[in-house]
Amino acid sequence: MAQRTKPTKTKTPRQFAIGELPSREAILQAMAENPDLDGKRDLARHFGVHGDMRTPFKVLLKQMEGEGFIARSRKQIRRTAALPAVTVLDIAADADPDNLHAFPAQWNDEEGTPPRVEVRQPKDARVVPAPGDRILARIDAGEGEVPHYTARTMKILDKPRRGQIGIVRMDEGGARLIPVDRKQREMRIDGGDLGDARDGDLVEVEVKFAGRLMIPKARVSSVIGNPESEGAVSMIAIHNLDIPYRFPASVTKEAEEATDVSLKGREDWRHIPLVTIDPVDAKDHDDAVYAEPDADPGNVDGHIVYVAIADVAAYVRPGTALDREAYIRGNSVYFPDRVVPMLPERISNDLCSLREGENRPSLAVRMVFDKTGRKRSHTFHRVLFRSAAKLSYQQAQAAIDGKPDDKTGPILDTILRPLWAAYAVMAQARDARGPLDLDLPERKIILDKAGMVVDVKVPERLEAHRLIEEMMIAANVAAAETLEKHKSALLYRVHDVPSQEKLVALRDFLSSLSLPAPKSDAVRPVDFNRILDKARTEGKIQQVSEIVLRTQAQAEYAAENYGHFGLNLDRYAHFTSPIRRYADLIVHRALISALSLGKDGLTDSEITRLPGIAEHISSTERRAMLAERETIDRLLAQFLSAHVNARFQGRISGVTRSGLFVRLKDTGADGFIPASTLGADYYRFVEEMQAMVGDRTGETFRIGDDVEVRLLEAAPIAGALRFELLSEGARGVPSSGKRGRRGPSTPRGKAGAHRKPAKRKR
């Protein structure tokens, strides 16, 4: 631990009258001035404690030990060291958000119980911590010999993993743990600490320290299983990124005690036949839709669209254990065959899941559109409704395409066709608005019962997907507009305009392809759409799509609004998925407060903490995206490990000075080819072309090029692939002689292993 301030010496404490106990301050002062006072008897003798006062004196010392003022080792008692003026604190995960307390992040157990620190949050604070955060704080010990620690937050820090995982390897000396994270070192495992683990098992361990040298050793706490299976692979990402996946007992208890919400204080919408349309394997259902023609003679050919969202706010109240845990998680994390939910199943898959034929509480919006798709009005309602049908995207689309089944046939004319009619006019307005049209396919991993990859598919993008997406976007916009109208605080979903540096790089790249580029720095999504249309016409869409994607900023949450560039919207908030996103729960509470829909709305404390909440949940969202991507990379590396030396068709998805990133067409797996293995020329990275160009031959490999590669190595635990390039590059102008990487005078061979970032989320 960091060096601590030494206590200031004061005068010798006064003598105490018979029958009077010394104060805590007097005891600490005496111990500071007299280091030899290191036992209960010495202290009792010093203060003249005897007879009937000995027992109360022992109780007092015990209390001081529990409060962290003194520490006891065997029969010795000593004063604990003071906290340094600036230190790292961990805020308790179960702390009251309005009355935060924390403890030192590092503390030697020999110093006794770590002191409790009150975390003060002035209204004008620029950094707003929350339960579960790790902070760098300025410490004030207060007046007097007994420190009353308070802290002011300077910075919110990343927290290290709570546990470690690795693979057990048996050897002559017993067993050792091979860590998954390369930054960690191997540890020995004593025979009695192996549990049921066997050679090759992926395990979760606790770290213990042995001997005077405090040598770290591992103790197996649980066996995760086969490191090649999805269940184990997702656990690697969960641990590496410190994703909470076990609910505390208090959270589970609170969820299990929750009961159905009644109609009291709600509108009865059970006569409106809303339906859910989700993926076939959806694990929760938090939105339902319905549409009908508008009967208003003043809105001929207009439509009314209803969007009902699970009323999570009715069950997850501010300040409860459920709320604190949901905030810490920030969002659900989705893996190919596992979900780490934001809320316990009792809430997410039961009480708040919009099940067919069951009463469910909802926060709903009724929107009126004219025949051009322009929204004329909207209103929010707190309701009780009953889903008329649970449909999949494929099921609903098939019905519209003329292939209804037993469930969709009876509701085709009354529910599905009116939904598609409403979407048709909403799509007109969307096209007129001109959001960024960068529709990149997403891969779906198919697993067998053992959790092993058997196939990789790119799901077909259906009109049913676009229908639900457009209606959710409209509901999100309505939520932001309503809260702004009522001058309510809210969390925006924001997406900034591309930076000037990225626009310059885009212009250079487009120029190298002889494609027109936006001349002004004040770009709009429609400018990018024109570029994409032109590239599609000239057969260059793959190259351009990758670069346009990389030009975009990262979408995030913010308490201040700066619009959503990708959707081309002035104001936007996330309202439609409170089961899996904490941001949406905050927006629900804000609507409840602004529209006086109940007593479980946004609190004053939450309003003051909105900037910190936005920063935190933006971070947890990025963490979830990284975990999902890492897990898919590991699964694909495992899947392809049986095909080393096989040939694959791929596409160059990235170019750096180090080499080429290649994405395989069949699986979407990413791998790397080092520049040093490209060939017998001297290859240079030409940034404006996003290409490697040979000095002598002008042989060019650029982003978007189709290539054939050979898989040289697959590293499943690292999620990495090494390729050998088999294709010849295009012949062009030799490079200009700028710094680059030389290829060897040998056939194209070895490669390196890296990954590239995944696509942005809205």
Side-chain angles (χ1 to χ4, degrees):
M1 185 175 175
Q3 183 178 357
R4 301 182 182 85
T5 56
K6 295 181 180 180
T8 304
K9 289 189 176 183
T10 58
K11 296 179 181 179
T12 303
R14 64 180 175 83
Q15 296 297 315
F16 291 86
I18 296 175
E20 183 181 356
L21 285 176
S23 66
R24 287 170 168 78
E25 291 86 348
I27 293 172
L28 292 173
Q29 179 181 336
M31 294 178 70
E33 295 176 354
N34 302 280
D36 292 337
L37 295 178
D38 60 357
K40 286 185 291 185
R41 291 183 179 179
D42 295 332
L43 286 169
R45 190 179 302 112
H46 178 80
F47 288 108
V49 175
H50 52 79
D52 293 340
M53 297 305 298
R54 288 177 179 173
T55 298
F57 185 65
K58 289 180 181 179
V59 172
L60 175 59
L61 293 178
K62 187 68 175 178
Q63 290 174 345
M64 293 179 67
E65 181 184 352
E67 293 164 356
F69 298 132
I70 61 175
R72 179 167 53 183
S73 177
R74 296 181 180 177
K75 293 186 178 181
Q76 287 188 326
I77 296 177
R78 58 185 176 78
R79 177 174 175 160
T80 55
L83 289 177
V86 175
T87 193
V88 177
L89 302 174
D90 282 335
I91 299 176
D94 60 352
D96 181 349
D98 296 327
N99 186 24
L100 295 177
H101 66 276
F103 300 94
Q106 295 182 351
W107 189 259
N108 190 332
D109 290 341
E110 292 183 358
E111 296 175 358
T113 304
R116 176 184 170 115
V117 183
E118 176 188 348
V119 181
R120 293 185 175 174
Q121 302 183 82
K123 291 185 178 180
D124 59 349
R126 299 184 63 181
V127 181
V128 184
D133 283 347
R134 170 166 287 188
I135 61 173
L136 180 67
R138 192 172 299 280
I139 302 296
D140 182 359
E143 300 293 335
E145 282 295 316
V146 179
H148 173 68
Y149 291 117
T150 59
R152 290 181 180 271
T153 306
M154 301 168 62
K155 185 179 181 180
I156 298 175
L157 305 173
D158 291 332
K159 293 183 71 173
R161 287 184 301 277
R162 288 185 291 272
Q164 292 187 25
I165 56 174
I167 296 174
V168 173
R169 290 300 180 200
M170 308 302 292
D171 56 26
E172 294 180 358
R176 56 196 171 100
L177 182 79
I178 309 299
V180 170
D181 189 340
R182 296 176 182 176
K183 296 179 182 179
Q184 295 177 357
R185 296 182 179 181
E186 290 187 15
M187 290 184 285
R188 300 299 306 179
I189 307 175
D190 293 336
D193 292 333
L194 264 174
D196 297 328
R198 295 177 294 181
D199 185 59
D201 278 348
L202 183 67
V203 297
E204 181 179 358
V205 303
E206 299 172 354
V207 180
K208 64 177 186 177
F209 296 91
R212 296 180 61 185
L213 298 179
M214 300 293 283
I215 297 173
K217 289 189 175 184
R219 178 192 295 115
V220 175
S221 56
S222 65
V223 178
I224 298 171
N226 182 350
E228 297 179 356
S229 72
E230 189 279 334
V233 171
S234 62
M235 286 301 294
I236 294 174
I238 287 169
H239 279 265
N240 280 351
L241 297 170
D242 195 26
I243 296 173
Y245 68 101
R246 290 172 177 149
F247 285 106
S250 59
V251 175
T252 303
K253 181 175 182 292
E254 201 169 274
E256 292 300 325
E257 291 175 349
T259 57
D260 290 321
V261 173
S262 70
L263 184 60
K264 184 178 180 181
R266 298 175 180 273
E267 298 176 41
D268 191 346
W269 276 24
R270 286 176 289 185
H271 63 286
I272 301 176
L274 293 115
V275 298
T276 61
I277 305 178
D278 292 294
V280 174
D281 57 353
K283 304 201 169 43
D284 51 53
H285 309 276
D286 51 9
D287 58 78
V289 293
Y290 175 71
E292 61 186 6
D294 190 358
D296 183 355
N299 188 29
V300 178
D301 295 329
H303 296 267
I304 302 174
V305 174
Y306 301 82
V307 175
I309 306 299
D311 191 355
V312 177
Y315 295 100
V316 184
R317 307 284 181 110
T320 60
L322 275 169
D323 181 48
R324 287 193 292 268
E325 184 68 15
Y327 167 80
I328 290 169
R329 295 179 178 225
N331 45 256
S332 298
V333 186
Y334 292 84
F335 297 104
D337 195 31
R338 171 201 295 265
V339 177
V340 178
M342 185 179 79
L343 298 166
E345 286 191 9
R346 170 64 174 160
I347 303 296
S348 61
N349 290 357
D350 186 3
L351 294 174
C352 286
S353 188
L354 308 182
R355 294 177 175 174
E356 179 180 324
E358 297 185 19
N359 292 343
R360 286 293 181 265
S362 166
L363 193 57
V365 58
R366 177 184 185 271
M367 299 175 285
V368 181
F369 296 90
D370 66 18
K371 63 181 179 181
T372 68
R374 181 183 65 87
K375 180 160 63 70
R376 299 183 54 166
S377 64
H378 70 265
T379 52
F380 281 90
H381 309 260
R382 212 167 188 189
V383 307
L384 191 75
F385 86 103
R386 182 184 297 134
S387 173
K390 171 191 170 184
L391 306 175
S392 69
Y393 288 116
Q394 293 77 9
Q395 194 177 17
Q397 188 68 56
I400 290 295
D401 293 342
K403 298 178 181 178
D405 59 19
D406 292 342
K407 177 174 282 189
T408 56
I411 62 173
L412 179 58
D413 292 329
T414 56
I415 297 177
L416 294 180
R417 286 200 172 114
L419 271 173
W420 256 257
Y423 166 65
V425 300
M426 295 175 72
Q428 291 180 40
R430 176 201 62 205
D431 294 342
R433 188 178 82 241
L436 183 61
D437 186 18
L438 194 60
D439 196 7
L440 299 177
E442 294 188 17
R443 56 192 170 180
K444 181 176 177 61
I445 307 294
I446 309 300
L447 305 174
D448 61 18
K449 293 181 179 179
M452 306 300 288
V453 179
V454 293
D455 199 3
V456 181
K457 295 183 178 179
V458 177
E460 183 183 2
R461 178 78 166 156
L462 303 173
E463 193 174 53
H465 291 100
R466 296 186 175 91
L467 179 150
I468 294 299
E469 182 177 273
E470 198 59 36
M471 290 183 177
M472 295 306 111
I473 289 173
N476 288 336
V477 171
E481 289 175 346
T482 295
L483 291 172
E484 281 195 353
K485 178 181 177 181
H486 286 79
K487 296 180 171 52
S488 170
L490 75 145
L491 283 180
Y492 292 93
R493 180 63 169 178
V494 291
H495 181 218
D496 209 353
V497 299
S499 67
Q500 297 304 311
E501 292 80 5
K502 289 184 177 180
L503 287 175
V504 169
L506 175 66
R507 291 190 187 100
D508 289 342
F509 175 74
L510 293 175
S511 176
S512 74
L513 289 177
S514 300
L515 289 173
K519 298 178 181 179
S520 171
D521 290 338
V523 293
R524 299 171 300 163
V526 67
D527 297 318
F528 288 105
N529 291 340
R530 292 193 188 105
I531 293 168
L532 293 167
D533 289 341
K534 182 67 173 176
R536 192 175 289 108
T537 300
E538 298 193 8
K540 301 173 182 177
I541 187 62
Q542 298 299 334
Q543 295 100 316
V544 175
S545 292
E546 288 285 350
I547 296 299
V548 168
L549 174 63
R550 297 181 186 193
T551 304
Q552 305 308 309
Q554 172 79 55
E556 60 184 358
Y557 296 103
E560 300 295 329
N561 184 31
Y562 52 86
H564 197 295
F565 177 81
L567 293 174
N568 197 17
L569 292 168
D570 292 331
R571 57 194 58 81
Y572 191 64
H574 271 169
F575 159 76
T576 53
S577 294
I579 284 178
R580 61 186 180 92
R581 294 189 304 225
Y582 195 77
D584 303 54
L585 177 57
I586 290 292
V587 170
H588 276 229
R589 289 173 179 166
L591 287 166
I592 291 168
S593 294
L595 302 175
S596 301
L597 297 176
K599 297 180 180 180
D600 44 2
L602 202 63
T603 64
D604 291 340
S605 172
E606 287 177 301
I607 292 173
T608 61
R609 294 191 298 115
L610 281 181
I613 292 174
E615 182 180 353
H616 170 73
I617 61 178
S618 295
S619 174
T620 61
E621 179 188 49
R622 291 190 293 270
R623 179 180 68 182
M625 292 170 63
L626 181 59
E628 294 164 15
R629 185 168 71 245
E630 283 188 358
T631 298
I632 289 174
D633 286 344
R634 289 187 175 103
L635 284 169
L636 290 178
Q638 173 58 39
F639 178 58
L640 292 171
S641 63
H643 303 280
V644 172
N645 290 323
R647 296 186 174 207
F648 297 93
Q649 296 300 313
R651 180 174 290 120
I652 297 175
S653 57
V655 183
T656 70
R657 286 179 173 81
S658 301
L660 307 176
F661 292 95
V662 173
R663 178 171 298 148
L664 302 185
K665 291 184 178 180
D666 290 340
T667 62
D670 294 306
F672 190 70
I673 305 171
S676 60
T677 68
L678 289 180
D681 204 344
Y682 190 106
Y683 291 88
R684 302 181 189 275
F685 173 59
V686 182
E687 186 173 5
E688 60 269 22
M689 295 175 60
Q690 286 294 297
M692 281 288 191
V693 181
D695 263 9
R696 292 182 293 100
T697 62
E699 185 180 28
T700 302
F701 301 98
R702 71 186 307 160
I703 193 169
D705 285 352
D706 291 332
V707 292
E708 184 179 14
V709 297
R710 177 183 287 115
L711 177 62
L712 294 183
E713 183 181 352
I717 296 299
L721 302 172
R722 293 198 296 143
F723 292 136
E724 174 190 9
L725 183 63
L726 302 178
S727 301
E728 297 292 330
R731 297 292 168 170
V733 179
S735 70
S736 60
K738 296 178 182 179
R739 292 184 62 188
R741 291 295 186 96
R742 181 183 301 277
S745 56
T746 56
R748 291 172 178 144
K750 292 185 179 180
H754 297 278
R755 293 187 299 274
K756 66 177 289 295
K759 62 185 287 188
R760 307 289 191 195
K761 286 191 177 181
R762 288 180 177 175

